[in-house]
Amino acid sequence: MSSVFEFLFKFRPEAYGEGSLVFLTRLRPEAMLLVLLAVGAVAWWLYRQVRSRVSRRTRWVLLGLRVALLAMILFMLARPALRTKGPPDAALFTAVLVDTSKSMTIEDAQSNGQTAPRFAVAKDLLAGAAGESGLLDRIAKHSKVILYRFDQGASRASGLEGLKASGAATDVFDSVRQMSSELRGLTLAAVVMVSDGCRNEGGSLEDAAAMLRDRGVPLYAVGVGSPNPPKDYEVMRVFARKRVWRNVAIDADVVLRHTDFREPFDVQLSRGDNVILTQRIEPGTESDLKRVRLTFTPDHEQGAATYRVSIAPATDEKITENNFKDFTVEIQDDRLPVLYVEGSPRMEYRFLRRALYRDRDFRLVGLLRLAADRFYIQSANSSEMYLAQGFPTTRENLFAFKAVILGDIEAKYFSPEQMALLEEFVRERGGGLLMLGGVNSFGLGGYAGTPVERMLPVSISASDGHYSDQEFQAEATDDGLAHAVMRIEPDAVANAQQWEKAPALIGITPVRGVKSGASLLLRQKPADGARPVLAVQNYGQGRVGAFMSGGSWYWQMSRPASDEFHEKFWKQMIRWLAVGARDRLAVETDRDSYARNASVILRATVLGKDLRPIHDARVTATIRGEEIPMYWTLTEEGVYQCRYKPREEGLYQVSVQVEGWTSPPAETFFEVTDPFIEFANAGLKEDSLRRMAETTDGQYFSLREASGIPEQIERAVEARQDTVRRVIDRDLWDMPALLVLCLTAVSIEWIVRRRTGLA
């Protein structure tokens, strides 16, 4: 019976069950239907003309036979075909990526009840151990296997034998991109990744997974290692300003981790063999993370130097490579420009100016009012002669300075536009502002309700009382003794003693109190009234200080001429105020140290003379003689960016120049070394690997569950085969059954017509 079916319909019944009927003609179905209806209508009309000669039933039989014949002819003209799927056009592949970064050397993976290095366990899983079949062989039963090693990038591996976990960093994104690009011409059924999930370079794991998802390739991730590494100290992050002026105290904010350690430990800041400070740390009880602020003054004079934050290894600590982190500090060689506006000649102006003028780190420009419209300018350069007319009136002129000191001068002297400009100077430019006490300052000077009052760290009003010429003793607060402005001596005990024996001050301007969020550094001793003397706070991008006394000169007069108490205080005050001031051209790197061949991201901020962003500059970075163009990022105002891949270890100097500018180039430094970033936060990232796998409709496996991967590969291969099988169309228009039906219809019509006497 099957052979008869195959003779009439060309193919066996099973082929029709697996395939589908398609039409290969280019004619539109609507046109063919119209032809069928038109011919049928003509046939109906012709047979209607002979209704007197044949019965109605005969006419309908003849009409049906004619329409059936026409339908079969049209069916054959439509080129019917049986569409089936043949074998795949190409072989199917599974890419297996094994992590070869240094974090895979950590001994916290479990194998046969024993602790072993992560990479050794990963190799046993893939190659097999104790005579068992490995994962690679089991996957090879379902698809061809391509083995890759990956750390900073991905590369083909001929086998597991020569692989070592030696990569200085891990860039999963770039590794997946390289693998996917290299296998673009092949049909991938799945990707298997054996890793601890630690990433410290390049794009996110989610972006890496998106590349596989867009290609329709599932990822099966195997996590190796422990989410909680063994007892370990780690210096995770160090945040510190990279460029500072000479003798400026800076804060290094450090994030430490003390996994399973509960006893106090020391964190040390050093440069080379010189230990700068040591701080005792009490571990937290709710978290193994600890934030610490190390305040220090760089001990090098000029250029860049590398400092290290470290924790001494414990005797039972297995991972010691992450116990330190280096960072670079560069001493700026330019002089810090300061504008000092004083309303009248007085001792405070004379002594404060002398304290700053003799130091080559400062360029103090004095603007001393002699009369209502007359000013005496001291130390101004040729481009600052506009100061002869008084306080600057444009952003370009005011923003050339990095700090402004307001002496004994009333608010009415400034126009509303100058007041607003001064507020922009602090908030946007990041400049520093200091107001000194006097008969015409703070509330007495009419500053209440002005933009300056909003910036001050103290509350003022027009009814604050009169300036007092009293002599009083000031004392440092606890916050003050810890603040960079007040650090006369590097040792905390010696510094406290210096302030305890500090001479008296003369004169104080009363204020209502210190604002919430501000820091009170100096106050009157309770016996003298306990009023605020010195308070500071951040405002916008800048910093603001209020020194309510106008008699700090008495500190110098009460001590020997060689004593530097007064001078140190004011230098540190101005340096602290100006530390956030923005430069017209600044360059920074995303980190201080890198591994070889890692991507260094350079970012330059380019501002005009009014410190507004510029978007059409031609910016070039020069690194070891190589010039690299920098391009505007489009998403950030005035920010230009480029990438650089260092191939050798060492200290790299970066010089950035804007075409057409005569000002010196901006410079920064970064170090290329083996920074052991692989051991930072090196616990198994199960959640990251799981999210990555789920993004691709794949699955995450622990080591214990990894035996189920070949089964998933088999399913992935079957699913992929359905999409890559070759489509085969087999013609049906010439099958014998159609010829038989046509001949049958024609024969029956001829017989009926003959018997009824029709032509």
Side-chain angles (χ1 to χ4, degrees), residues 689-719:
L689 290 173
R690 182 174 286 107
R691 287 194 302 269
M692 191 177 179
E694 290 174 351
T695 299
T696 66
D697 293 328
Q699 186 177 342
Y700 171 78
F701 294 85
S702 65
L703 280 172
R704 194 175 302 170
E705 301 165 337
S707 59
I709 290 180
E711 181 180 348
Q712 296 296 327
I713 297 295
E714 182 180 8
R715 294 176 182 174
V717 168
E718 291 176 352

PDB file of all heavy atoms in Angstrom, residues 689-719:
ATOM      1  N   LEU A 689      27.834  35.427  38.352  1.00  0.00           N
ATOM      2  CA  LEU A 689      27.832  34.369  37.343  1.00  0.00           C
ATOM      3  C   LEU A 689      26.417  33.879  37.063  1.00  0.00           C
ATOM      4  O   LEU A 689      26.071  33.574  35.915  1.00  0.00           O
ATOM      5  CB  LEU A 689      28.712  33.211  37.803  1.00  0.00           C
ATOM      6  CG  LEU A 689      30.224  33.475  37.836  1.00  0.00           C
ATOM      7  CD1 LEU A 689      30.958  32.314  38.472  1.00  0.00           C
ATOM      8  CD2 LEU A 689      30.759  33.716  36.423  1.00  0.00           C
ATOM      9  N   ARG A 690      25.592  33.808  38.106  1.00  0.00           N
ATOM     10  CA  ARG A 690      24.211  33.349  37.915  1.00  0.00           C
ATOM     11  C   ARG A 690      23.425  34.339  37.046  1.00  0.00           C
ATOM     12  O   ARG A 690      22.698  33.943  36.133  1.00  0.00           O
ATOM     13  CB  ARG A 690      23.530  33.167  39.272  1.00  0.00           C
ATOM     14  CG  ARG A 690      22.088  32.646  39.153  1.00  0.00           C
ATOM     15  CD  ARG A 690      21.486  32.340  40.508  1.00  0.00           C
ATOM     16  NE  ARG A 690      22.054  31.114  41.073  1.00  0.00           N
ATOM     17  CZ  ARG A 690      22.906  31.080  42.072  1.00  0.00           C
ATOM     18  NH1 ARG A 690      23.316  32.201  42.629  1.00  0.00           N
ATOM     19  NH2 ARG A 690      23.361  29.924  42.529  1.00  0.00           N
ATOM     20  N   ARG A 691      23.577  35.646  37.329  1.00  0.00           N
ATOM     21  CA  ARG A 691      22.887  36.651  36.513  1.00  0.00           C
ATOM     22  C   ARG A 691      23.377  36.613  35.072  1.00  0.00           C
ATOM     23  O   ARG A 691      22.599  36.779  34.124  1.00  0.00           O
ATOM     24  CB  ARG A 691      23.098  38.047  37.096  1.00  0.00           C
ATOM     25  CG  ARG A 691      22.321  38.322  38.362  1.00  0.00           C
ATOM     26  CD  ARG A 691      22.302  39.802  38.676  1.00  0.00           C
ATOM     27  NE  ARG A 691      23.637  40.339  38.823  1.00  0.00           N
ATOM     28  CZ  ARG A 691      24.295  40.397  39.977  1.00  0.00           C
ATOM     29  NH1 ARG A 691      23.721  39.920  41.074  1.00  0.00           N
ATOM     30  NH2 ARG A 691      25.503  40.905  40.046  1.00  0.00           N
ATOM     31  N   MET A 692      24.664  36.406  34.906  1.00  0.00           N
ATOM     32  CA  MET A 692      25.230  36.338  33.568  1.00  0.00           C
ATOM     33  C   MET A 692      24.641  35.164  32.790  1.00  0.00           C
ATOM     34  O   MET A 692      24.265  35.301  31.614  1.00  0.00           O
ATOM     35  CB  MET A 692      26.748  36.207  33.680  1.00  0.00           C
ATOM     36  CG  MET A 692      27.509  36.382  32.383  1.00  0.00           C
ATOM     37  SD  MET A 692      29.290  36.287  32.659  1.00  0.00           S
ATOM     38  CE  MET A 692      29.887  36.502  30.973  1.00  0.00           C
ATOM     39  N   ALA A 693      24.543  34.001  33.433  1.00  0.00           N
ATOM     40  CA  ALA A 693      23.989  32.821  32.770  1.00  0.00           C
ATOM     41  C   ALA A 693      22.508  33.010  32.461  1.00  0.00           C
ATOM     42  O   ALA A 693      22.039  32.679  31.363  1.00  0.00           O
ATOM     43  CB  ALA A 693      24.200  31.587  33.640  1.00  0.00           C
ATOM     44  N   GLU A 694      21.760  33.557  33.406  1.00  0.00           N
ATOM     45  CA  GLU A 694      20.319  33.734  33.209  1.00  0.00           C
ATOM     46  C   GLU A 694      20.025  34.731  32.104  1.00  0.00           C
ATOM     47  O   GLU A 694      18.998  34.629  31.430  1.00  0.00           O
ATOM     48  CB  GLU A 694      19.678  34.167  34.520  1.00  0.00           C
ATOM     49  CG  GLU A 694      19.661  33.066  35.576  1.00  0.00           C
ATOM     50  CD  GLU A 694      19.147  33.555  36.926  1.00  0.00           C
ATOM     51  OE1 GLU A 694      18.965  34.795  37.066  1.00  0.00           O
ATOM     52  OE2 GLU A 694      18.931  32.716  37.820  1.00  0.00           O
ATOM     53  N   THR A 695      20.901  35.707  31.907  1.00  0.00           N
ATOM     54  CA  THR A 695      20.712  36.680  30.820  1.00  0.00           C
ATOM     55  C   THR A 695      20.677  35.996  29.467  1.00  0.00           C
ATOM     56  O   THR A 695      19.992  36.436  28.537  1.00  0.00           O
ATOM     57  CB  THR A 695      21.837  37.735  30.853  1.00  0.00           C
ATOM     58  OG1 THR A 695      21.792  38.431  32.098  1.00  0.00           O
ATOM     59  CG2 THR A 695      21.689  38.738  29.712  1.00  0.00           C
ATOM     60  N   THR A 696      21.422  34.887  29.335  1.00  0.00           N
ATOM     61  CA  THR A 696      21.516  34.181  28.056  1.00  0.00           C
ATOM     62  C   THR A 696      20.566  32.983  27.973  1.00  0.00           C
ATOM     63  O   THR A 696      20.669  32.184  27.042  1.00  0.00           O
ATOM     64  CB  THR A 696      22.951  33.672  27.850  1.00  0.00           C
ATOM     65  OG1 THR A 696      23.233  32.662  28.841  1.00  0.00           O
ATOM     66  CG2 THR A 696      23.963  34.793  28.002  1.00  0.00           C
ATOM     67  N   ASP A 697      19.658  32.854  28.965  1.00  0.00           N
ATOM     68  CA  ASP A 697      18.785  31.670  29.065  1.00  0.00           C
ATOM     69  C   ASP A 697      19.602  30.410  29.318  1.00  0.00           C
ATOM     70  O   ASP A 697      19.199  29.306  28.944  1.00  0.00           O
ATOM     71  CB  ASP A 697      17.926  31.492  27.797  1.00  0.00           C
ATOM     72  CG  ASP A 697      16.910  32.606  27.637  1.00  0.00           C
ATOM     73  OD1 ASP A 697      16.438  33.117  28.670  1.00  0.00           O
ATOM     74  OD2 ASP A 697      16.597  32.965  26.503  1.00  0.00           O
ATOM     75  N   GLY A 698      20.762  30.587  29.944  1.00  0.00           N
ATOM     76  CA  GLY A 698      21.584  29.453  30.337  1.00  0.00           C
ATOM     77  C   GLY A 698      21.368  29.111  31.800  1.00  0.00           C
ATOM     78  O   GLY A 698      20.293  29.343  32.355  1.00  0.00           O
ATOM     79  N   GLN A 699      22.421  28.611  32.465  1.00  0.00           N
ATOM     80  CA  GLN A 699      22.259  28.155  33.846  1.00  0.00           C
ATOM     81  C   GLN A 699      23.591  28.221  34.576  1.00  0.00           C
ATOM     82  O   GLN A 699      24.655  28.046  33.983  1.00  0.00           O
ATOM     83  CB  GLN A 699      21.711  26.721  33.864  1.00  0.00           C
ATOM     84  CG  GLN A 699      21.354  26.193  35.245  1.00  0.00           C
ATOM     85  CD  GLN A 699      20.747  24.804  35.179  1.00  0.00           C
ATOM     86  OE1 GLN A 699      20.279  24.372  34.115  1.00  0.00           O
ATOM     87  NE2 GLN A 699      20.733  24.104  36.295  1.00  0.00           N
ATOM     88  N   TYR A 700      23.511  28.494  35.885  1.00  0.00           N
ATOM     89  CA  TYR A 700      24.700  28.492  36.735  1.00  0.00           C
ATOM     90  C   TYR A 700      24.807  27.149  37.452  1.00  0.00           C
ATOM     91  O   TYR A 700      23.806  26.602  37.919  1.00  0.00           O
ATOM     92  CB  TYR A 700      24.631  29.619  37.768  1.00  0.00           C
ATOM     93  CG  TYR A 700      25.726  29.524  38.806  1.00  0.00           C
ATOM     94  CD1 TYR A 700      27.018  29.933  38.518  1.00  0.00           C
ATOM     95  CD2 TYR A 700      25.463  28.997  40.071  1.00  0.00           C
ATOM     96  CE1 TYR A 700      28.037  29.833  39.458  1.00  0.00           C
ATOM     97  CE2 TYR A 700      26.464  28.892  41.022  1.00  0.00           C
ATOM     98  CZ  TYR A 700      27.745  29.308  40.715  1.00  0.00           C
ATOM     99  OH  TYR A 700      28.737  29.190  41.649  1.00  0.00           O
ATOM    100  N   PHE A 701      26.040  26.631  37.550  1.00  0.00           N
ATOM    101  CA  PHE A 701      26.289  25.352  38.212  1.00  0.00           C
ATOM    102  C   PHE A 701      27.381  25.526  39.264  1.00  0.00           C
ATOM    103  O   PHE A 701      28.401  26.188  39.017  1.00  0.00           O
ATOM    104  CB  PHE A 701      26.762  24.289  37.205  1.00  0.00           C
ATOM    105  CG  PHE A 701      25.739  23.900  36.184  1.00  0.00           C
ATOM    106  CD1 PHE A 701      25.585  24.644  35.020  1.00  0.00           C
ATOM    107  CD2 PHE A 701      24.919  22.801  36.386  1.00  0.00           C
ATOM    108  CE1 PHE A 701      24.643  24.293  34.068  1.00  0.00           C
ATOM    109  CE2 PHE A 701      23.978  22.436  35.442  1.00  0.00           C
ATOM    110  CZ  PHE A 701      23.832  23.182  34.281  1.00  0.00           C
ATOM    111  N   SER A 702      27.178  24.942  40.409  1.00  0.00           N
ATOM    112  CA  SER A 702      28.273  24.820  41.365  1.00  0.00           C
ATOM    113  C   SER A 702      29.146  23.649  40.919  1.00  0.00           C
ATOM    114  O   SER A 702      28.780  22.892  40.014  1.00  0.00           O
ATOM    115  CB  SER A 702      27.734  24.579  42.769  1.00  0.00           C
ATOM    116  OG  SER A 702      27.076  23.317  42.832  1.00  0.00           O
ATOM    117  N   LEU A 703      30.297  23.474  41.558  1.00  0.00           N
ATOM    118  CA  LEU A 703      31.160  22.345  41.206  1.00  0.00           C
ATOM    119  C   LEU A 703      30.435  21.021  41.385  1.00  0.00           C
ATOM    120  O   LEU A 703      30.592  20.090  40.585  1.00  0.00           O
ATOM    121  CB  LEU A 703      32.429  22.370  42.073  1.00  0.00           C
ATOM    122  CG  LEU A 703      33.536  23.332  41.641  1.00  0.00           C
ATOM    123  CD1 LEU A 703      34.618  23.392  42.702  1.00  0.00           C
ATOM    124  CD2 LEU A 703      34.113  22.919  40.298  1.00  0.00           C
ATOM    125  N   ARG A 704      29.627  20.934  42.423  1.00  0.00           N
ATOM    126  CA  ARG A 704      28.914  19.695  42.714  1.00  0.00           C
ATOM    127  C   ARG A 704      27.862  19.404  41.646  1.00  0.00           C
ATOM    128  O   ARG A 704      27.524  18.255  41.379  1.00  0.00           O
ATOM    129  CB  ARG A 704      28.261  19.813  44.091  1.00  0.00           C
ATOM    130  CG  ARG A 704      27.767  18.506  44.670  1.00  0.00           C
ATOM    131  CD  ARG A 704      27.256  18.744  46.089  1.00  0.00           C
ATOM    132  NE  ARG A 704      28.304  19.322  46.925  1.00  0.00           N
ATOM    133  CZ  ARG A 704      28.075  19.802  48.145  1.00  0.00           C
ATOM    134  NH1 ARG A 704      26.860  19.789  48.653  1.00  0.00           N
ATOM    135  NH2 ARG A 704      29.075  20.297  48.845  1.00  0.00           N
ATOM    136  N   GLU A 705      27.332  20.445  41.013  1.00  0.00           N
ATOM    137  CA  GLU A 705      26.258  20.273  40.031  1.00  0.00           C
ATOM    138  C   GLU A 705      26.770  20.199  38.595  1.00  0.00           C
ATOM    139  O   GLU A 705      25.988  19.989  37.667  1.00  0.00           O
ATOM    140  CB  GLU A 705      25.277  21.440  40.137  1.00  0.00           C
ATOM    141  CG  GLU A 705      24.642  21.599  41.508  1.00  0.00           C
ATOM    142  CD  GLU A 705      23.975  22.946  41.675  1.00  0.00           C
ATOM    143  OE1 GLU A 705      24.361  23.892  40.957  1.00  0.00           O
ATOM    144  OE2 GLU A 705      23.066  23.050  42.527  1.00  0.00           O
ATOM    145  N   ALA A 706      28.077  20.394  38.406  1.00  0.00           N
ATOM    146  CA  ALA A 706      28.624  20.540  37.052  1.00  0.00           C
ATOM    147  C   ALA A 706      28.451  19.299  36.191  1.00  0.00           C
ATOM    148  O   ALA A 706      28.528  19.379  34.954  1.00  0.00           O
ATOM    149  CB  ALA A 706      30.104  20.911  37.124  1.00  0.00           C
ATOM    150  N   SER A 707      28.191  18.135  36.804  1.00  0.00           N
ATOM    151  CA  SER A 707      28.002  16.913  36.010  1.00  0.00           C
ATOM    152  C   SER A 707      26.765  16.996  35.128  1.00  0.00           C
ATOM    153  O   SER A 707      26.603  16.209  34.193  1.00  0.00           O
ATOM    154  CB  SER A 707      27.900  15.696  36.938  1.00  0.00           C
ATOM    155  OG  SER A 707      26.813  15.852  37.843  1.00  0.00           O
ATOM    156  N   GLY A 708      25.866  17.938  35.424  1.00  0.00           N
ATOM    157  CA  GLY A 708      24.656  18.088  34.614  1.00  0.00           C
ATOM    158  C   GLY A 708      24.833  18.935  33.379  1.00  0.00           C
ATOM    159  O   GLY A 708      23.891  19.091  32.593  1.00  0.00           O
ATOM    160  N   ILE A 709      26.028  19.472  33.155  1.00  0.00           N
ATOM    161  CA  ILE A 709      26.243  20.353  32.004  1.00  0.00           C
ATOM    162  C   ILE A 709      26.122  19.612  30.676  1.00  0.00           C
ATOM    163  O   ILE A 709      25.482  20.119  29.740  1.00  0.00           O
ATOM    164  CB  ILE A 709      27.604  21.065  32.132  1.00  0.00           C
ATOM    165  CG1 ILE A 709      27.542  22.082  33.271  1.00  0.00           C
ATOM    166  CG2 ILE A 709      27.991  21.749  30.830  1.00  0.00           C
ATOM    167  CD1 ILE A 709      28.825  22.850  33.482  1.00  0.00           C
ATOM    168  N   PRO A 710      26.713  18.414  30.499  1.00  0.00           N
ATOM    169  CA  PRO A 710      26.579  17.736  29.195  1.00  0.00           C
ATOM    170  C   PRO A 710      25.134  17.531  28.771  1.00  0.00           C
ATOM    171  O   PRO A 710      24.808  17.624  27.582  1.00  0.00           O
ATOM    172  CB  PRO A 710      27.300  16.405  29.427  1.00  0.00           C
ATOM    173  CG  PRO A 710      28.308  16.706  30.475  1.00  0.00           C
ATOM    174  CD  PRO A 710      27.645  17.678  31.396  1.00  0.00           C
ATOM    175  N   GLU A 711      24.259  17.261  29.725  1.00  0.00           N
ATOM    176  CA  GLU A 711      22.842  17.098  29.385  1.00  0.00           C
ATOM    177  C   GLU A 711      22.268  18.402  28.836  1.00  0.00           C
ATOM    178  O   GLU A 711      21.496  18.405  27.868  1.00  0.00           O
ATOM    179  CB  GLU A 711      22.073  16.671  30.633  1.00  0.00           C
ATOM    180  CG  GLU A 711      20.589  16.445  30.387  1.00  0.00           C
ATOM    181  CD  GLU A 711      19.847  16.027  31.644  1.00  0.00           C
ATOM    182  OE1 GLU A 711      20.529  15.692  32.650  1.00  0.00           O
ATOM    183  OE2 GLU A 711      18.606  16.045  31.630  1.00  0.00           O
ATOM    184  N   GLN A 712      22.662  19.542  29.450  1.00  0.00           N
ATOM    185  CA  GLN A 712      22.202  20.840  28.951  1.00  0.00           C
ATOM    186  C   GLN A 712      22.794  21.139  27.581  1.00  0.00           C
ATOM    187  O   GLN A 712      22.124  21.720  26.720  1.00  0.00           O
ATOM    188  CB  GLN A 712      22.591  21.940  29.947  1.00  0.00           C
ATOM    189  CG  GLN A 712      21.937  21.831  31.309  1.00  0.00           C
ATOM    190  CD  GLN A 712      20.430  21.984  31.214  1.00  0.00           C
ATOM    191  OE1 GLN A 712      19.923  22.725  30.376  1.00  0.00           O
ATOM    192  NE2 GLN A 712      19.704  21.276  32.070  1.00  0.00           N
ATOM    193  N   ILE A 713      24.037  20.728  27.361  1.00  0.00           N
ATOM    194  CA  ILE A 713      24.667  20.929  26.053  1.00  0.00           C
ATOM    195  C   ILE A 713      23.912  20.136  24.992  1.00  0.00           C
ATOM    196  O   ILE A 713      23.672  20.621  23.878  1.00  0.00           O
ATOM    197  CB  ILE A 713      26.146  20.512  26.091  1.00  0.00           C
ATOM    198  CG1 ILE A 713      26.931  21.399  27.071  1.00  0.00           C
ATOM    199  CG2 ILE A 713      26.762  20.569  24.706  1.00  0.00           C
ATOM    200  CD1 ILE A 713      27.019  22.838  26.680  1.00  0.00           C
ATOM    201  N   GLU A 714      23.519  18.908  25.340  1.00  0.00           N
ATOM    202  CA  GLU A 714      22.774  18.084  24.385  1.00  0.00           C
ATOM    203  C   GLU A 714      21.479  18.771  23.974  1.00  0.00           C
ATOM    204  O   GLU A 714      21.115  18.799  22.788  1.00  0.00           O
ATOM    205  CB  GLU A 714      22.484  16.718  25.007  1.00  0.00           C
ATOM    206  CG  GLU A 714      21.755  15.772  24.053  1.00  0.00           C
ATOM    207  CD  GLU A 714      21.479  14.417  24.687  1.00  0.00           C
ATOM    208  OE1 GLU A 714      21.715  14.268  25.909  1.00  0.00           O
ATOM    209  OE2 GLU A 714      21.030  13.513  23.963  1.00  0.00           O
ATOM    210  N   ARG A 715      20.773  19.339  24.953  1.00  0.00           N
ATOM    211  CA  ARG A 715      19.531  20.053  24.635  1.00  0.00           C
ATOM    212  C   ARG A 715      19.798  21.298  23.804  1.00  0.00           C
ATOM    213  O   ARG A 715      19.036  21.610  22.880  1.00  0.00           O
ATOM    214  CB  ARG A 715      18.820  20.440  25.931  1.00  0.00           C
ATOM    215  CG  ARG A 715      18.321  19.244  26.742  1.00  0.00           C
ATOM    216  CD  ARG A 715      17.711  19.703  28.044  1.00  0.00           C
ATOM    217  NE  ARG A 715      17.262  18.577  28.851  1.00  0.00           N
ATOM    218  CZ  ARG A 715      16.788  18.677  30.092  1.00  0.00           C
ATOM    219  NH1 ARG A 715      16.713  19.872  30.660  1.00  0.00           N
ATOM    220  NH2 ARG A 715      16.401  17.600  30.756  1.00  0.00           N
ATOM    221  N   ALA A 716      20.871  21.987  24.139  1.00  0.00           N
ATOM    222  CA  ALA A 716      21.201  23.186  23.373  1.00  0.00           C
ATOM    223  C   ALA A 716      21.553  22.843  21.934  1.00  0.00           C
ATOM    224  O   ALA A 716      21.189  23.568  20.997  1.00  0.00           O
ATOM    225  CB  ALA A 716      22.360  23.927  24.045  1.00  0.00           C
ATOM    226  N   VAL A 717      22.247  21.735  21.752  1.00  0.00           N
ATOM    227  CA  VAL A 717      22.601  21.295  20.401  1.00  0.00           C
ATOM    228  C   VAL A 717      21.351  20.945  19.611  1.00  0.00           C
ATOM    229  O   VAL A 717      21.206  21.320  18.433  1.00  0.00           O
ATOM    230  CB  VAL A 717      23.566  20.092  20.462  1.00  0.00           C
ATOM    231  CG1 VAL A 717      23.712  19.439  19.095  1.00  0.00           C
ATOM    232  CG2 VAL A 717      24.929  20.541  20.980  1.00  0.00           C
ATOM    233  N   GLU A 718      20.419  20.225  20.236  1.00  0.00           N
ATOM    234  CA  GLU A 718      19.177  19.858  19.548  1.00  0.00           C
ATOM    235  C   GLU A 718      18.385  21.101  19.160  1.00  0.00           C
ATOM    236  O   GLU A 718      17.849  21.193  18.048  1.00  0.00           O
ATOM    237  CB  GLU A 718      18.340  18.951  20.444  1.00  0.00           C
ATOM    238  CG  GLU A 718      18.938  17.561  20.654  1.00  0.00           C
ATOM    239  CD  GLU A 718      18.123  16.730  21.634  1.00  0.00           C
ATOM    240  OE1 GLU A 718      17.192  17.302  22.247  1.00  0.00           O
ATOM    241  OE2 GLU A 718      18.421  15.529  21.799  1.00  0.00           O
ATOM    242  N   ALA A 719      18.324  22.063  20.080  1.00  0.00           N
ATOM    243  CA  ALA A 719      17.594  23.296  19.781  1.00  0.00           C
ATOM    244  C   ALA A 719      18.278  24.076  18.664  1.00  0.00           C
ATOM    245  O   ALA A 719      17.616  24.658  17.799  1.00  0.00           O
ATOM    246  CB  ALA A 719      17.486  24.157  21.035  1.00  0.00           C
TER     247      ALA A 719
END
